[in-house]
Amino acid sequence: MRLIVIGGDAAGMSAASQARRLLKPGDLDIAAFERGEYTSYSACGIPYWVGGLVDGPDGLIARDPAAHRANGIEVHTGHEVTGIDLRSRTVTVRSSGADRTESFDHLVYAAGATPVRPAWADTPAKGIFGVQTLGDAAALQEWLEPGRDTAVVIGAGYIGVEMAEALQRRGLRVTLVERAGQPMSTVDPDMGALVADSIRGLGIALRTGVTVQGLETADGQVRAVVTDDGVLPADVVVLGLGVRPNTALADAAGLPLGVTGALATDLRQRVTGPDGIVEGVWAAGDCTQVTHLVSGRPAHIPLGTHANKQGRVAGINIGGGYATFPGVIGTAITKICDLEVARTGLSSKEAEAAGFRYVTATVESTNRAGYFPGAVPMTVKVIAEKDTGLLLGAQIVGRAEAAKRIDAFAVAVWNRMTVTEMTALDLGYAPPYAPVWDPVLIAARKAGDAL
Amino acid sequence: MRLIVIGGDAAGMSAASQARRLLKPGDLDIAAFERGEYTSYSACGIPYWVGGLVDGPDGLIARDPAAHRANGIEVHTGHEVTGIDLRSRTVTVRSSGADRTESFDHLVYAAGATPVRPAWADTPAKGIFGVQTLGDAAALQEWLEPGRDTAVVIGAGYIGVEMAEALQRRGLRVTLVERAGQPMSTVDPDMGALVADSIRGLGIALRTGVTVQGLETADGQVRAVVTDDGVLPADVVVLGLGVRPNTALADAAGLPLGVTGALATDLRQRVTGPDGIVEGVWAAGDCTQVTHLVSGRPAHIPLGTHANKQGRVAGINIGGGYATFPGVIGTAITKICDLEVARTGLSSKEAEAAGFRYVTATVESTNRAGYFPGAVPMTVKVIAEKDTGLLLGAQIVGRAEAAKRIDAFAVAVWNRMTVTEMTALDLGYAPPYAPVWDPVLIAARKAGDAL
């Protein structure tokens, strides 16, 4: 049997590694094709490399091609899969300008995602970067030479904010442009306002409610970003407008796409369409669609943590084991200088869109007992279904020991707890770590009162 | 209607405050009797006061008698309740040597607990301290004058370890004596060994497997602790041998005690015995028994977090509302210098005692992505029921951002998750906060493999 993996990052190589763990070479031969140079790396670490906190690219690589080969997986970097033939069960692979055909019994489609590039960014001018792959980051690093000291980051989602901070840390003057009225629209406006304050506190020029209309270029490189609120000089432009699943190849091969444009799968990561499961074809990572377990709806939430889990599940199933990936609940955390931002479940806007009637409660508390040295404020917001009290989501903004507290909410959301039941939870308490009423419990209590 | 509260700390005053919130003076008059000087304080903060990290006693007081009075609660400090007459529904109160009788419709029994004092500690000699009340701590602080520079702490549970560190921080030479083979017997021996290393690393002389036989005293004060492994000089002796519920008064009044010796209650904190509920008599805090929701057994786990919750529940119910305290799952966390120690559910020994067949899995991971600055090791142990995979308990030892990760396990234990289901959990991930596979998930995975 032969497994071909398209894409050599987290999802694809997790699948390959798990399948290899269960089946020996001979029983299962594995070939992975990666069009870039690197395998199994942390794209999430890119802002920290750009910001100079982490040595890259090597520091961000969990397992390089040699390590995968030592593990019995053929890895071919610089190889792009350009076609899939489901009838003959072959793929066409291009390398150094030459095509060849490779056959498979199982195919893992893990082609990832690509930064959204609006029409106005479609220029040969240099200095415009999406940040999705290590290759993108390496190109940006090369571009950041002395004299190029003015950056505009477009889009204030997670990546945009992280990249703005990284470039600021590198000494550039940074403007962060966001079309919405707040940065990080994944959290509610009141929490977004706290994030905005923190971004501005870093010295980054945050411009919300501003739409980009185009770029000015000269001498083959970008010079400015033109917006509906003025022209912003720029030696470097970073696109933080989100990503789109790389599904063109799948679509061309006749694989069914989900409603989000990403590949839909069953619980075991088998590609699934209106006609059912496509036998022997698996998908994992940023190119796939997930089920949001709170809204019950399909979603496209490209995150490394999901990619790793989905790849593992696909690999175990290919190897003859049994594993499932039931879905996600929208947990995400990030750090903006010393500000920690976290969310899980649905935001108010998402709860509204899903059709929930809901109440919210916001509390101000501290990370430690108020009297303990190092106690700093923390804001916790809870969103609960009206009448039932079902916990729909939670958001946390704080200055220390805040973000990972979202996990308690995440496990509660996962288990469909009500806020009233949550008030009884036996969470860890000691003065260096929490007030005697943990902020999580206070927020749940207050949401209970609001019902 | 009149409510009398016995005990002015967390449990009693939470009950009083909640009842007051729901019922006005006139509808409900509230009198609280506290034999000590302080109300509503954080006993858990005492080690940090002794260690000089926190200004005491005021810094540890959440709400003093004047604040309670302003809230419409009569508070009488220096008043000891010496008798309860359930037939006449009165209590006898002693103050300044005089007794008086006070009547009640509702009685909240929140008399707390007292440090275990073995027969050998029954001496009038000075310099021997249990640490349970602010009064105890104030007396210890007064004793710690220059020249008294050698301390022996007996018992290496949470309080013993915290007090040993506090005295060490104050500049004393500290020996910590523990009869068991490890400090903190609430965690498994392998985790206890990590704690032992940390305690010794602080310069504290930790002596495990050593039994105290008596004290040497002279000139009315303690001089040494006599053990089966030698005589330990001591100007100060701290008893960290646990606490016993203060139920003598309840027992004398004919209130039924639970199998642990503490007062048993129903879910609403009504005192309950073989003959059913004792109408109008409530109990909360360190004098009460709880249900351990994993073992299903009654337990006595005196912790401020439970006391606050139970008091709140009693007060809401007295006030005509509805609230329940279903029980605990044994969550506890502590800090030993820079070591963070956490547990929830059952330890291996407790799982054994409860009759579970179980497997364990231990993993070494990091608090942050391995490449991120400040990443330090973290050890996570999971205990799961054999065959079913039910998560029975978890323990974490780490050096930063470790302890509160136990909350994810705590919510999982609470919801009776299996370790296999846990591997799919959508926990927060970003390089400054976690590896892409969170240590919680890795441990759950490994426990799944061990099944």
Side-chain angles (χ1 to χ4, degrees), chain B residues 144 147-153 163-176 202-206 223 232-237:
Chain B
L144 289 177
R148 292 187 179 136
D149 56 6
T150 306
V152 175
V153 178
M163 286 303 298
E165 183 187 348
L167 293 166
Q168 170 83 5
R169 186 183 288 271
R170 276 285 283 261
L172 283 81
R173 280 189 304 275
V174 181
T175 302
L176 178 57
L202 284 175
I204 293 167
L206 172 65
R223 296 297 182 182
L232 307 168
D235 304 313
V236 188
V237 170

PDB file of all heavy atoms in Angstrom, chain B residues 144 147-153 163-176 202-206 223 232-237:
ATOM      1  N   LEU B 144       8.315  35.767  66.751  1.00  0.00           N
ATOM      2  CA  LEU B 144       9.493  35.718  65.868  1.00  0.00           C
ATOM      3  C   LEU B 144      10.393  36.931  66.066  1.00  0.00           C
ATOM      4  O   LEU B 144      10.603  37.722  65.163  1.00  0.00           O
ATOM      5  CB  LEU B 144       9.054  35.651  64.401  1.00  0.00           C
ATOM      6  CG  LEU B 144       8.436  34.341  63.939  1.00  0.00           C
ATOM      7  CD1 LEU B 144       7.999  34.457  62.481  1.00  0.00           C
ATOM      8  CD2 LEU B 144       9.416  33.187  64.106  1.00  0.00           C
ATOM      9  N   GLY B 147      16.953  36.450  67.397  1.00  0.00           N
ATOM     10  CA  GLY B 147      17.509  35.473  68.331  1.00  0.00           C
ATOM     11  C   GLY B 147      16.763  34.155  68.277  1.00  0.00           C
ATOM     12  O   GLY B 147      17.334  33.102  68.514  1.00  0.00           O
ATOM     13  N   ARG B 148      15.483  34.244  67.945  1.00  0.00           N
ATOM     14  CA  ARG B 148      14.714  32.997  67.750  1.00  0.00           C
ATOM     15  C   ARG B 148      14.832  32.647  66.273  1.00  0.00           C
ATOM     16  O   ARG B 148      14.001  33.038  65.458  1.00  0.00           O
ATOM     17  CB  ARG B 148      13.265  33.203  68.167  1.00  0.00           C
ATOM     18  CG  ARG B 148      13.155  33.411  69.666  1.00  0.00           C
ATOM     19  CD  ARG B 148      11.745  33.458  70.157  1.00  0.00           C
ATOM     20  NE  ARG B 148      11.760  33.643  71.604  1.00  0.00           N
ATOM     21  CZ  ARG B 148      10.978  34.482  72.260  1.00  0.00           C
ATOM     22  NH1 ARG B 148      10.092  35.206  71.620  1.00  0.00           N
ATOM     23  NH2 ARG B 148      11.075  34.586  73.564  1.00  0.00           N
ATOM     24  N   ASP B 149      15.879  31.932  65.942  1.00  0.00           N
ATOM     25  CA  ASP B 149      16.236  31.802  64.529  1.00  0.00           C
ATOM     26  C   ASP B 149      16.259  30.355  64.037  1.00  0.00           C
ATOM     27  O   ASP B 149      16.735  30.072  62.951  1.00  0.00           O
ATOM     28  CB  ASP B 149      17.574  32.494  64.258  1.00  0.00           C
ATOM     29  CG  ASP B 149      18.682  31.951  65.158  1.00  0.00           C
ATOM     30  OD1 ASP B 149      18.417  30.970  65.901  1.00  0.00           O
ATOM     31  OD2 ASP B 149      19.796  32.505  65.122  1.00  0.00           O
ATOM     32  N   THR B 150      15.721  29.454  64.857  1.00  0.00           N
ATOM     33  CA  THR B 150      15.698  28.055  64.443  1.00  0.00           C
ATOM     34  C   THR B 150      14.268  27.537  64.548  1.00  0.00           C
ATOM     35  O   THR B 150      13.669  27.586  65.623  1.00  0.00           O
ATOM     36  CB  THR B 150      16.623  27.208  65.335  1.00  0.00           C
ATOM     37  OG1 THR B 150      17.927  27.803  65.317  1.00  0.00           O
ATOM     38  CG2 THR B 150      16.705  25.779  64.843  1.00  0.00           C
ATOM     39  N   ALA B 151      13.755  27.063  63.412  1.00  0.00           N
ATOM     40  CA  ALA B 151      12.355  26.609  63.396  1.00  0.00           C
ATOM     41  C   ALA B 151      12.270  25.156  62.965  1.00  0.00           C
ATOM     42  O   ALA B 151      13.044  24.705  62.120  1.00  0.00           O
ATOM     43  CB  ALA B 151      11.541  27.478  62.449  1.00  0.00           C
ATOM     44  N   VAL B 152      11.330  24.463  63.561  1.00  0.00           N
ATOM     45  CA  VAL B 152      10.985  23.129  63.079  1.00  0.00           C
ATOM     46  C   VAL B 152       9.502  23.149  62.717  1.00  0.00           C
ATOM     47  O   VAL B 152       8.657  23.548  63.527  1.00  0.00           O
ATOM     48  CB  VAL B 152      11.265  22.049  64.137  1.00  0.00           C
ATOM     49  CG1 VAL B 152      10.764  20.685  63.645  1.00  0.00           C
ATOM     50  CG2 VAL B 152      12.759  21.982  64.436  1.00  0.00           C
ATOM     51  N   VAL B 153       9.217  22.771  61.477  1.00  0.00           N
ATOM     52  CA  VAL B 153       7.833  22.654  61.026  1.00  0.00           C
ATOM     53  C   VAL B 153       7.516  21.175  60.968  1.00  0.00           C
ATOM     54  O   VAL B 153       8.271  20.391  60.366  1.00  0.00           O
ATOM     55  CB  VAL B 153       7.636  23.321  59.656  1.00  0.00           C
ATOM     56  CG1 VAL B 153       6.198  23.140  59.173  1.00  0.00           C
ATOM     57  CG2 VAL B 153       7.997  24.803  59.721  1.00  0.00           C
ATOM     58  N   MET B 163       4.576  27.196  55.253  1.00  0.00           N
ATOM     59  CA  MET B 163       5.123  27.847  56.447  1.00  0.00           C
ATOM     60  C   MET B 163       6.645  27.671  56.518  1.00  0.00           C
ATOM     61  O   MET B 163       7.361  28.575  56.948  1.00  0.00           O
ATOM     62  CB  MET B 163       4.454  27.299  57.709  1.00  0.00           C
ATOM     63  CG  MET B 163       3.029  27.798  57.917  1.00  0.00           C
ATOM     64  SD  MET B 163       2.895  29.615  57.981  1.00  0.00           S
ATOM     65  CE  MET B 163       3.906  29.960  59.417  1.00  0.00           C
ATOM     66  N   ALA B 164       7.132  26.516  56.114  1.00  0.00           N
ATOM     67  CA  ALA B 164       8.587  26.299  56.107  1.00  0.00           C
ATOM     68  C   ALA B 164       9.250  27.318  55.182  1.00  0.00           C
ATOM     69  O   ALA B 164      10.263  27.944  55.536  1.00  0.00           O
ATOM     70  CB  ALA B 164       8.897  24.868  55.665  1.00  0.00           C
ATOM     71  N   GLU B 165       8.665  27.501  54.000  1.00  0.00           N
ATOM     72  CA  GLU B 165       9.231  28.479  53.078  1.00  0.00           C
ATOM     73  C   GLU B 165       9.156  29.892  53.651  1.00  0.00           C
ATOM     74  O   GLU B 165      10.105  30.685  53.534  1.00  0.00           O
ATOM     75  CB  GLU B 165       8.525  28.430  51.723  1.00  0.00           C
ATOM     76  CG  GLU B 165       9.162  29.405  50.732  1.00  0.00           C
ATOM     77  CD  GLU B 165       8.414  29.532  49.410  1.00  0.00           C
ATOM     78  OE1 GLU B 165       7.525  28.721  49.131  1.00  0.00           O
ATOM     79  OE2 GLU B 165       8.751  30.474  48.662  1.00  0.00           O
ATOM     80  N   ALA B 166       8.035  30.208  54.298  1.00  0.00           N
ATOM     81  CA  ALA B 166       7.860  31.557  54.862  1.00  0.00           C
ATOM     82  C   ALA B 166       8.913  31.836  55.922  1.00  0.00           C
ATOM     83  O   ALA B 166       9.519  32.917  55.957  1.00  0.00           O
ATOM     84  CB  ALA B 166       6.455  31.684  55.458  1.00  0.00           C
ATOM     85  N   LEU B 167       9.161  30.857  56.790  1.00  0.00           N
ATOM     86  CA  LEU B 167      10.128  31.058  57.872  1.00  0.00           C
ATOM     87  C   LEU B 167      11.545  31.133  57.314  1.00  0.00           C
ATOM     88  O   LEU B 167      12.378  31.919  57.788  1.00  0.00           O
ATOM     89  CB  LEU B 167       9.997  29.928  58.908  1.00  0.00           C
ATOM     90  CG  LEU B 167       8.656  29.950  59.668  1.00  0.00           C
ATOM     91  CD1 LEU B 167       8.446  28.646  60.415  1.00  0.00           C
ATOM     92  CD2 LEU B 167       8.592  31.144  60.627  1.00  0.00           C
ATOM     93  N   GLN B 168      11.804  30.342  56.308  1.00  0.00           N
ATOM     94  CA  GLN B 168      13.095  30.383  55.615  1.00  0.00           C
ATOM     95  C   GLN B 168      13.310  31.777  55.012  1.00  0.00           C
ATOM     96  O   GLN B 168      14.379  32.383  55.132  1.00  0.00           O
ATOM     97  CB  GLN B 168      13.068  29.314  54.514  1.00  0.00           C
ATOM     98  CG  GLN B 168      14.204  29.346  53.531  1.00  0.00           C
ATOM     99  CD  GLN B 168      15.419  28.638  54.078  1.00  0.00           C
ATOM    100  OE1 GLN B 168      15.386  28.047  55.152  1.00  0.00           O
ATOM    101  NE2 GLN B 168      16.526  28.700  53.356  1.00  0.00           N
ATOM    102  N   ARG B 169      12.263  32.287  54.379  1.00  0.00           N
ATOM    103  CA  ARG B 169      12.321  33.606  53.767  1.00  0.00           C
ATOM    104  C   ARG B 169      12.561  34.685  54.836  1.00  0.00           C
ATOM    105  O   ARG B 169      13.214  35.688  54.572  1.00  0.00           O
ATOM    106  CB  ARG B 169      10.995  33.867  53.050  1.00  0.00           C
ATOM    107  CG  ARG B 169      10.912  35.123  52.232  1.00  0.00           C
ATOM    108  CD  ARG B 169       9.504  35.281  51.630  1.00  0.00           C
ATOM    109  NE  ARG B 169       9.272  34.328  50.568  1.00  0.00           N
ATOM    110  CZ  ARG B 169       9.571  34.565  49.290  1.00  0.00           C
ATOM    111  NH1 ARG B 169      10.113  35.710  48.939  1.00  0.00           N
ATOM    112  NH2 ARG B 169       9.307  33.663  48.369  1.00  0.00           N
ATOM    113  N   ARG B 170      12.032  34.446  56.043  1.00  0.00           N
ATOM    114  CA  ARG B 170      12.235  35.379  57.143  1.00  0.00           C
ATOM    115  C   ARG B 170      13.652  35.319  57.705  1.00  0.00           C
ATOM    116  O   ARG B 170      14.023  36.084  58.584  1.00  0.00           O
ATOM    117  CB  ARG B 170      11.266  35.040  58.288  1.00  0.00           C
ATOM    118  CG  ARG B 170       9.900  35.630  58.133  1.00  0.00           C
ATOM    119  CD  ARG B 170       9.896  37.127  58.438  1.00  0.00           C
ATOM    120  NE  ARG B 170       9.932  37.394  59.857  1.00  0.00           N
ATOM    121  CZ  ARG B 170       8.863  37.691  60.575  1.00  0.00           C
ATOM    122  NH1 ARG B 170       7.679  37.779  60.009  1.00  0.00           N
ATOM    123  NH2 ARG B 170       8.979  37.923  61.863  1.00  0.00           N
ATOM    124  N   GLY B 171      14.431  34.324  57.245  1.00  0.00           N
ATOM    125  CA  GLY B 171      15.810  34.254  57.682  1.00  0.00           C
ATOM    126  C   GLY B 171      16.070  33.200  58.749  1.00  0.00           C
ATOM    127  O   GLY B 171      17.198  33.079  59.247  1.00  0.00           O
ATOM    128  N   LEU B 172      15.054  32.410  59.094  1.00  0.00           N
ATOM    129  CA  LEU B 172      15.284  31.357  60.085  1.00  0.00           C
ATOM    130  C   LEU B 172      15.918  30.131  59.429  1.00  0.00           C
ATOM    131  O   LEU B 172      15.789  29.927  58.227  1.00  0.00           O
ATOM    132  CB  LEU B 172      13.966  30.957  60.760  1.00  0.00           C
ATOM    133  CG  LEU B 172      13.440  31.937  61.828  1.00  0.00           C
ATOM    134  CD1 LEU B 172      12.714  33.098  61.184  1.00  0.00           C
ATOM    135  CD2 LEU B 172      12.529  31.215  62.827  1.00  0.00           C
ATOM    136  N   ARG B 173      16.603  29.322  60.250  1.00  0.00           N
ATOM    137  CA  ARG B 173      17.022  27.990  59.815  1.00  0.00           C
ATOM    138  C   ARG B 173      15.820  27.080  60.014  1.00  0.00           C
ATOM    139  O   ARG B 173      15.293  26.994  61.121  1.00  0.00           O
ATOM    140  CB  ARG B 173      18.189  27.479  60.674  1.00  0.00           C
ATOM    141  CG  ARG B 173      19.550  28.025  60.305  1.00  0.00           C
ATOM    142  CD  ARG B 173      20.642  27.280  61.068  1.00  0.00           C
ATOM    143  NE  ARG B 173      20.428  27.326  62.524  1.00  0.00           N
ATOM    144  CZ  ARG B 173      20.836  28.331  63.299  1.00  0.00           C
ATOM    145  NH1 ARG B 173      21.497  29.359  62.806  1.00  0.00           N
ATOM    146  NH2 ARG B 173      20.585  28.300  64.596  1.00  0.00           N
ATOM    147  N   VAL B 174      15.426  26.395  58.951  1.00  0.00           N
ATOM    148  CA  VAL B 174      14.175  25.644  59.032  1.00  0.00           C
ATOM    149  C   VAL B 174      14.393  24.163  58.749  1.00  0.00           C
ATOM    150  O   VAL B 174      15.065  23.798  57.778  1.00  0.00           O
ATOM    151  CB  VAL B 174      13.130  26.202  58.021  1.00  0.00           C
ATOM    152  CG1 VAL B 174      11.819  25.441  58.129  1.00  0.00           C
ATOM    153  CG2 VAL B 174      12.906  27.692  58.253  1.00  0.00           C
ATOM    154  N   THR B 175      13.846  23.336  59.632  1.00  0.00           N
ATOM    155  CA  THR B 175      13.774  21.902  59.382  1.00  0.00           C
ATOM    156  C   THR B 175      12.307  21.539  59.225  1.00  0.00           C
ATOM    157  O   THR B 175      11.466  22.000  59.995  1.00  0.00           O
ATOM    158  CB  THR B 175      14.382  21.107  60.548  1.00  0.00           C
ATOM    159  OG1 THR B 175      15.737  21.522  60.737  1.00  0.00           O
ATOM    160  CG2 THR B 175      14.366  19.608  60.263  1.00  0.00           C
ATOM    161  N   LEU B 176      12.028  20.752  58.187  1.00  0.00           N
ATOM    162  CA  LEU B 176      10.651  20.326  57.915  1.00  0.00           C
ATOM    163  C   LEU B 176      10.595  18.820  58.098  1.00  0.00           C
ATOM    164  O   LEU B 176      11.280  18.069  57.395  1.00  0.00           O
ATOM    165  CB  LEU B 176      10.276  20.728  56.478  1.00  0.00           C
ATOM    166  CG  LEU B 176       8.899  20.338  55.946  1.00  0.00           C
ATOM    167  CD1 LEU B 176       7.775  20.872  56.822  1.00  0.00           C
ATOM    168  CD2 LEU B 176       8.748  20.832  54.510  1.00  0.00           C
ATOM    169  N   LEU B 202      15.713  25.045  48.356  1.00  0.00           N
ATOM    170  CA  LEU B 202      15.545  26.314  49.069  1.00  0.00           C
ATOM    171  C   LEU B 202      16.467  26.422  50.275  1.00  0.00           C
ATOM    172  O   LEU B 202      16.563  27.467  50.897  1.00  0.00           O
ATOM    173  CB  LEU B 202      14.100  26.442  49.590  1.00  0.00           C
ATOM    174  CG  LEU B 202      13.010  26.797  48.593  1.00  0.00           C
ATOM    175  CD1 LEU B 202      11.659  26.760  49.276  1.00  0.00           C
ATOM    176  CD2 LEU B 202      13.268  28.178  48.023  1.00  0.00           C
ATOM    177  N   GLY B 203      17.088  25.291  50.638  1.00  0.00           N
ATOM    178  CA  GLY B 203      17.931  25.298  51.826  1.00  0.00           C
ATOM    179  C   GLY B 203      17.197  24.844  53.082  1.00  0.00           C
ATOM    180  O   GLY B 203      17.728  24.912  54.193  1.00  0.00           O
ATOM    181  N   ILE B 204      15.974  24.392  52.904  1.00  0.00           N
ATOM    182  CA  ILE B 204      15.209  23.851  54.042  1.00  0.00           C
ATOM    183  C   ILE B 204      15.642  22.411  54.256  1.00  0.00           C
ATOM    184  O   ILE B 204      15.783  21.646  53.303  1.00  0.00           O
ATOM    185  CB  ILE B 204      13.693  23.909  53.740  1.00  0.00           C
ATOM    186  CG1 ILE B 204      13.236  25.371  53.662  1.00  0.00           C
ATOM    187  CG2 ILE B 204      12.894  23.126  54.759  1.00  0.00           C
ATOM    188  CD1 ILE B 204      11.848  25.564  53.082  1.00  0.00           C
ATOM    189  N   ALA B 205      15.891  22.048  55.529  1.00  0.00           N
ATOM    190  CA  ALA B 205      16.282  20.668  55.843  1.00  0.00           C
ATOM    191  C   ALA B 205      15.017  19.822  55.894  1.00  0.00           C
ATOM    192  O   ALA B 205      14.288  19.847  56.887  1.00  0.00           O
ATOM    193  CB  ALA B 205      17.033  20.622  57.170  1.00  0.00           C
ATOM    194  N   LEU B 206      14.750  19.118  54.818  1.00  0.00           N
ATOM    195  CA  LEU B 206      13.550  18.271  54.764  1.00  0.00           C
ATOM    196  C   LEU B 206      13.897  16.890  55.297  1.00  0.00           C
ATOM    197  O   LEU B 206      14.834  16.250  54.806  1.00  0.00           O
ATOM    198  CB  LEU B 206      13.056  18.176  53.321  1.00  0.00           C
ATOM    199  CG  LEU B 206      11.913  17.180  53.069  1.00  0.00           C
ATOM    200  CD1 LEU B 206      10.643  17.597  53.799  1.00  0.00           C
ATOM    201  CD2 LEU B 206      11.659  17.050  51.572  1.00  0.00           C
ATOM    202  N   ARG B 223      12.383  24.162  73.216  1.00  0.00           N
ATOM    203  CA  ARG B 223      13.816  24.226  72.928  1.00  0.00           C
ATOM    204  C   ARG B 223      14.226  23.266  71.808  1.00  0.00           C
ATOM    205  O   ARG B 223      15.212  23.511  71.116  1.00  0.00           O
ATOM    206  CB  ARG B 223      14.631  23.874  74.190  1.00  0.00           C
ATOM    207  CG  ARG B 223      14.456  24.853  75.338  1.00  0.00           C
ATOM    208  CD  ARG B 223      14.944  26.244  74.964  1.00  0.00           C
ATOM    209  NE  ARG B 223      14.825  27.172  76.084  1.00  0.00           N
ATOM    210  CZ  ARG B 223      15.136  28.451  76.040  1.00  0.00           C
ATOM    211  NH1 ARG B 223      15.548  29.002  74.912  1.00  0.00           N
ATOM    212  NH2 ARG B 223      14.988  29.217  77.102  1.00  0.00           N
ATOM    213  N   LEU B 232      16.042  17.838  67.303  1.00  0.00           N
ATOM    214  CA  LEU B 232      16.180  19.006  66.436  1.00  0.00           C
ATOM    215  C   LEU B 232      15.963  20.272  67.262  1.00  0.00           C
ATOM    216  O   LEU B 232      14.840  20.511  67.740  1.00  0.00           O
ATOM    217  CB  LEU B 232      15.138  18.952  65.317  1.00  0.00           C
ATOM    218  CG  LEU B 232      15.104  17.663  64.496  1.00  0.00           C
ATOM    219  CD1 LEU B 232      13.851  17.610  63.633  1.00  0.00           C
ATOM    220  CD2 LEU B 232      16.362  17.566  63.629  1.00  0.00           C
ATOM    221  N   PRO B 233      16.991  21.086  67.454  1.00  0.00           N
ATOM    222  CA  PRO B 233      16.827  22.333  68.205  1.00  0.00           C
ATOM    223  C   PRO B 233      15.745  23.204  67.557  1.00  0.00           C
ATOM    224  O   PRO B 233      15.618  23.206  66.320  1.00  0.00           O
ATOM    225  CB  PRO B 233      18.198  23.014  68.084  1.00  0.00           C
ATOM    226  CG  PRO B 233      19.137  21.931  67.700  1.00  0.00           C
ATOM    227  CD  PRO B 233      18.360  20.935  66.914  1.00  0.00           C
ATOM    228  N   ALA B 234      14.992  23.895  68.399  1.00  0.00           N
ATOM    229  CA  ALA B 234      13.903  24.713  67.862  1.00  0.00           C
ATOM    230  C   ALA B 234      13.539  25.840  68.813  1.00  0.00           C
ATOM    231  O   ALA B 234      13.240  25.601  69.982  1.00  0.00           O
ATOM    232  CB  ALA B 234      12.668  23.848  67.602  1.00  0.00           C
ATOM    233  N   ASP B 235      13.559  27.054  68.300  1.00  0.00           N
ATOM    234  CA  ASP B 235      13.006  28.188  69.047  1.00  0.00           C
ATOM    235  C   ASP B 235      11.533  28.378  68.716  1.00  0.00           C
ATOM    236  O   ASP B 235      10.799  29.045  69.427  1.00  0.00           O
ATOM    237  CB  ASP B 235      13.737  29.484  68.656  1.00  0.00           C
ATOM    238  CG  ASP B 235      15.235  29.363  68.865  1.00  0.00           C
ATOM    239  OD1 ASP B 235      15.649  28.883  69.930  1.00  0.00           O
ATOM    240  OD2 ASP B 235      15.983  29.729  67.933  1.00  0.00           O
ATOM    241  N   VAL B 236      11.152  27.836  67.585  1.00  0.00           N
ATOM    242  CA  VAL B 236       9.781  27.963  67.085  1.00  0.00           C
ATOM    243  C   VAL B 236       9.369  26.604  66.535  1.00  0.00           C
ATOM    244  O   VAL B 236      10.138  25.997  65.776  1.00  0.00           O
ATOM    245  CB  VAL B 236       9.695  28.968  65.905  1.00  0.00           C
ATOM    246  CG1 VAL B 236       8.248  29.237  65.541  1.00  0.00           C
ATOM    247  CG2 VAL B 236      10.438  30.240  66.224  1.00  0.00           C
ATOM    248  N   VAL B 237       8.190  26.160  66.909  1.00  0.00           N
ATOM    249  CA  VAL B 237       7.648  24.931  66.338  1.00  0.00           C
ATOM    250  C   VAL B 237       6.311  25.266  65.697  1.00  0.00           C
ATOM    251  O   VAL B 237       5.453  25.894  66.322  1.00  0.00           O
ATOM    252  CB  VAL B 237       7.469  23.840  67.415  1.00  0.00           C
ATOM    253  CG1 VAL B 237       6.684  22.657  66.849  1.00  0.00           C
ATOM    254  CG2 VAL B 237       8.826  23.386  67.930  1.00  0.00           C
TER     255      VAL B 237
END
